[in-house]
Amino acid sequence: GMPEAVKDIINKKMNILEFNKNIASDIIISYLNDMNKYVVSNAESIKIEAIYKSIPSQLGNVSNKFQYTKINSNARSRDYETALQWLISSTMIYKCNLLKTIQIPPKAYADEEYFKLYISDVGLLSSLLEIQYNDILLDNNFLYKGNIAENYVASQLVRNGISLYYWKSNSDAEIDFIL
């Protein structure tokens, strides 16, 4: 799917406003169809899809952490643990753990229960959100643009081999990424 997206943008002389959005939608559909191929039960596939589709709205959580109850009011982490690990292993999403304290090595101070999730590709995130590219490029003012930028930074850090960590104080001060 991605080579088709790259080819389309090149053929359109790098004009993102002319990009065929159906390509991104088709990639998402292919991802969701793949979930059904590689899991042992339909119930697990439904959980994987539910987590994936909840991430765009969860990026804007006031709590600055992933909340299972945003998927389903009765959802608990133990019910979605396998589905979450499947998505992380597939690299369709990236996990950013909260640091209890900012110390070296950060992995030793990561809190596995508090985390944020990012979509691995900002184009797919934009497609899931049904965002018009010209709203981003023309600098239209909307609050979610910061979440798109944060997701982009997360994807670039991961692509450069950097693990994702964030920090949040009790008074709601936050550092999006700790390196």
Side-chain angles (χ1 to χ4, degrees):
M2 293 297 183
E4 184 181 353
V6 172
K7 183 179 177 183
D8 185 67
I9 197 70
I10 290 170
N11 288 341
K12 305 259 171 72
K13 302 197 183 335
M14 305 302 279
N15 185 346
I16 191 74
L17 295 177
E18 293 180 16
F19 177 71
N20 181 354
K21 287 183 165 189
N22 291 330
I23 294 171
S25 296
D26 290 346
I27 292 169
I28 292 168
I29 290 168
S30 294
Y31 275 4
L32 298 176
N33 288 337
D34 280 351
M35 291 174 196
N36 293 318
K37 289 182 202 173
Y38 300 111
V39 295
V40 291
S41 74
N42 189 43
E44 198 64 23
S45 179
I46 290 169
K47 289 176 185 178
I48 291 168
E49 185 173 339
I51 291 172
Y52 189 74
K53 286 184 173 180
S54 80
I55 294 171
S57 64
Q58 296 226 30
L59 284 173
N61 276 351
V62 175
S63 66
N64 292 314
K65 67 177 184 174
F66 184 81
Q67 296 175 309
Y68 292 98
T69 55
K70 300 280 183 173
I71 297 171
N72 175 328
S73 60
N74 296 322
R76 301 291 173 258
S77 61
R78 68 180 174 270
D79 301 325
Y80 286 83
E81 187 175 335
T82 305
L84 177 62
Q85 286 308 317
W86 189 94
L87 281 164
I88 293 167
S89 296
S90 73
T91 66
M92 290 173 60
I93 65 170
Y94 302 132
K95 185 178 181 186
C96 181
N97 286 317
L98 175 70
L99 290 178
K100 298 173 197 169
T101 185
I102 302 173
Q103 293 290 328
I104 295 174
K107 189 171 188 102
Y109 299 96
D111 187 334
E112 294 288 327
E113 293 187 30
Y114 293 93
F115 56 89
K116 295 193 265 185
L117 297 176
Y118 297 98
I119 300 290
S120 62
D121 183 274
V122 177
L124 297 181
L125 172 63
S126 298
S127 181
L128 286 166
L129 290 165
E130 300 175 2
I131 291 175
Q132 302 299 315
Y133 292 121
N134 57 346
D135 285 334
I136 298 169
L137 294 173
L138 299 176
D139 204 24
N140 290 343
N141 193 14
F142 60 94
L143 188 59
Y144 200 87
K145 198 182 294 189
N147 299 100
I148 295 169
E150 185 178 334
N151 198 109
Y152 173 78
V153 171
S155 66
Q156 293 305 303
L157 290 171
V158 170
R159 286 184 184 116
N160 284 287
I162 299 170
S163 298
L164 300 178
Y165 301 101
Y166 76 105
W167 175 83
K168 185 176 188 274
S169 74
N170 293 335
S171 63
D172 291 336
E174 182 182 4
I175 301 173
D176 291 324
F177 300 105
I178 302 290
L179 310 178

